[in-house]
Structure formats: C-alpha cells, structure tokens
C-alpha cells in the first residue's frame, strides 16, 4: 500500500497510531464494531460495590442497543454495517455494562455465539478490572490465541481522588494488578480515559496520559467528558456544580 501520510502509523494524516491503520494491516481492510448488549449488569450498580454507578454513566451506551437475543442484535448490527460497506469485517463489541460479570460458562457461550456469526473476525469485551477472576482470565487467554480479542478497561483517570468523586468503585491499584495479569497472558488491552472530569487540571490529565502510556497498552480510547441526560453529572451541571471549561472551568 503506498504511504500517503507523513506519519508512520496512520494512513490519514494522524499523528498517532490509529485503529484504522492497525485494522488495515491485521485484517486487510476496514473493520466495524457491532455494538452488543449481553444483558449484563455492573457491580457498581447492583450493590456489590455501589448502587449509583459512575456519575457519567447511562448504562454503557445502552442507547445504541436493544434488549434482543444476541443473534438478533448481531443480525441487525451486521445489516447496519453492511449498508455502509457490503464487505465489512465485524468486531463483536460487548459494550453495555460489565461484560465479564457472569459465570464463566455463560460468558463462554456468549463469546462463542458472537464468533460464529458470519463476518465476525474478533471480539471486544468492555469490562472493569475488578471483574476479572482467574477462570475468566483463562477463558479470555484461550480466546485471544484464536481470534483478535481486546479487553477494554474503563479506567478514565489514574487519580483516585477523582475516581472517588465520580464513584468508580475501585482504586488505581486494582486496575494496575488486572492490567499486569492481562499483559502477562498476552491479551490485547484498550484503556478508556476521559479528559475533562470535574476537578481535574490539565496537569492531572497529562499525568494520566503519561502513566497509562508507560504501561504500553495496545490501544487507548480517549473521550472528552460528555454529560448525558439522566446521569448524576447532568444534575450537577444544571445546579452549576460543573462549570463548562470554556467559561472558567478547571483548566
Ligand atoms: S463501571 Fe461502567 S457500567 Fe458500571 S457504573 Fe461505571 S460506567 Fe457504568
């Protein structure tokens, strides 16, 4: 493929190693995510470590899914994706809530059903680092030897004081331990971060970026804070407790 970008790991003039670049080299073409709701809940919602969830959480993008059997969800997502690209390869993305928070036999059946769906070339599993017991890690390790598996961890920040404020429900040390286990097992990881969390300064965000960069995850998903209707942050924003950044916010 001719190199058209001045940057070594991007085909479209990005300064960073893009997912698009990675997918083209690994799969030979464009890859799309099928967003799935496997009917999981979250220990930060069911009372195991909390009931209110993270202050920005509306259920893990459940707005984009419907509570249908997995095969029907995959069928609808494949139709949506193939309207854009008839030859698309698909990653089955278990996104809603915590997708390792079930007995390992249940998880195995769900992941296998997704992998068997026509056009699915890999799995992404969104979860929390405190929901990766050894039997689940063994399952993920076996899967990662057969397919491209990415475990997506919602860290958001390395700062425990911020995490306590938004109610993450685990300290950074728990993330560090699970991340090390995933790396030792050779499992691909994507760390989710949020810039603009209330109370964080520019230096706080840079420290998160440096700390996570030093861990060398295979991918990072960087979001700017979105305040969604129905979340605790929406209430705080309306009450003026979260100043917009362009109107005298924290940075
Ligand atoms: S861990 Fe994820 S699903 Fe659970 S409350 Fe936080 S954002 Fe929501």
């Amino acid at each position: 493929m001719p190199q058209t970008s001045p940057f070594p790991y991007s085909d479209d003039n990005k300064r960073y190693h893009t997912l698009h670049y990675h997918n083209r080299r690994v799969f030979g073409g464009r890859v799309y995510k099928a967003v799935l709701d496997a009917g999981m809940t979250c220990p930060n919602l069911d009372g195991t470590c909390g009931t209110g969830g993270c202050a920005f959480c509306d259920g893990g993008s459940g707005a984009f899914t419907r509570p249908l059997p997995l095969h029907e969800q995959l069928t609808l997502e494949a139709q949506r994706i193939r309207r854009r690209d008839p030859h698309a390869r698909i990653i089955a993305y278990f996104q809603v809530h915590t997708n390792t928070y079930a007995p390992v036999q249940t998880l195995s059946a769900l992941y296998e059903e997704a992998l068997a769906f026509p056009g699915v070339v890999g799995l992404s599993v969104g979860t929390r680092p405190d929901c990766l017991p050894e039997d689940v890690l063994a399952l993920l390790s076996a899967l990662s030897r057969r397919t491209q598996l990415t475990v997506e961890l919602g860290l958001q920040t390395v700062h425990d004081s911020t995490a306590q404020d938004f109610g993450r429900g685990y300290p950074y040390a728990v993330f560090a331990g699970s991340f090390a286990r995933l790396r030792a097992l050779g499992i691909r990881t994507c760390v989710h971060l949020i810039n603009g969390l209330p109370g964080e300064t520019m230096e706080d965000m840079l420290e998160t970026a440096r700390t996570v960069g030093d861990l060398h995850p295979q991918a990072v998903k960087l979001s700017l804070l979105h305040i969604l209707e129905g979340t605790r942050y929406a209430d705080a924003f309306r009450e003026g407790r979260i100043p917009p950044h362009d109107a005298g916010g924290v940075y």
Side-chain angles (χ1 to χ4, degrees):
M1 180 183 307
Q3 179 72 44
T4 55
S5 167
F7 305 111
Y9 299 112
S10 167
D11 294 323
D12 49 5
N13 210 26
K14 301 279 187 352
R15 288 177 179 269
Y16 51 91
H17 189 152
T18 66
L19 182 61
H20 179 60
Y21 180 96
H22 168 84
N23 284 337
R24 285 184 79 94
R25 269 80 190 159
V26 172
F27 298 107
R30 205 171 181 101
V31 178
Y32 297 79
K33 274 179 161 174
V35 179
L36 303 171
D37 180 350
M40 307 281 170
T41 180
C42 169
N44 205 15
L45 293 167
D46 72 2
T48 301
C49 69
T51 52
C54 302
F56 50 79
C57 178
D58 74 337
S61 298
F64 300 110
T65 58
R66 281 183 261 174
L68 297 169
L70 191 67
H71 190 84
E72 286 180 49
Q73 292 184 52
L74 282 160
T75 301
L76 289 171
E77 280 292 90
Q79 288 169 353
R80 175 183 67 79
I81 290 165
R82 295 211 166 98
R83 277 195 292 274
R84 296 177 62 184
D85 180 349
H87 307 295
R89 301 151 182 86
I90 295 171
I91 296 282
Y93 182 22
F94 290 86
Q95 181 177 23
V96 179
H97 291 135
T98 301
N99 292 282
T100 57
Y101 193 43
V104 71
Q105 296 83 358
T106 305
L107 298 175
S108 178
L110 288 165
Y111 302 156
E112 293 295 346
E113 183 176 355
L115 276 177
F117 193 87
V120 169
V121 296
L123 297 175
S124 273
V125 175
T127 191
R128 294 167 54 94
D130 57 352
C131 290
L132 290 167
E134 284 301 321
D135 57 350
V136 171
L137 285 168
L139 171 66
L140 296 173
S141 175
L143 285 167
S144 74
R145 290 193 287 273
R146 286 170 44 203
T147 189
Q148 176 166 290
L149 167 73
T150 306
V151 173
E152 308 211 14
L153 297 170
L155 176 66
Q156 323 308 355
T157 176
V158 301
H159 301 287
D160 282 346
S161 57
T162 311
Q164 269 180 2
D165 285 348
F166 73 69
R168 190 174 63 192
Y170 64 83
Y172 177 75
V174 169
F175 166 85
S178 289
F179 184 88
R181 288 290 291 131
L182 290 164
R183 288 307 292 263
L185 292 166
I187 297 170
R188 189 169 189 273
T189 54
C190 176
V191 181
H192 292 205
L193 303 176
I194 296 178
N195 272 350
L197 288 165
E200 290 214 337
T201 64
M202 180 72 85
E203 182 50 34
D204 291 333
M205 293 178 240
L206 289 171
E207 192 178 339
T208 290
R210 285 188 212 104
T211 304
V212 172
D214 285 345
L215 296 173
H216 298 286
Q218 282 82 4
V220 173
K221 181 178 176 186
L222 187 59
S223 302
L224 302 179
L225 177 67
H226 281 62
I227 296 180
L228 301 176
E229 199 61 75
T231 63
R232 289 205 304 286
Y233 272 172
D235 296 337
F237 182 73
R238 283 208 182 82
E239 291 162 11
R241 291 184 282 120
I242 300 179
H245 287 151
D246 63 353
V250 292
Y251 71 123

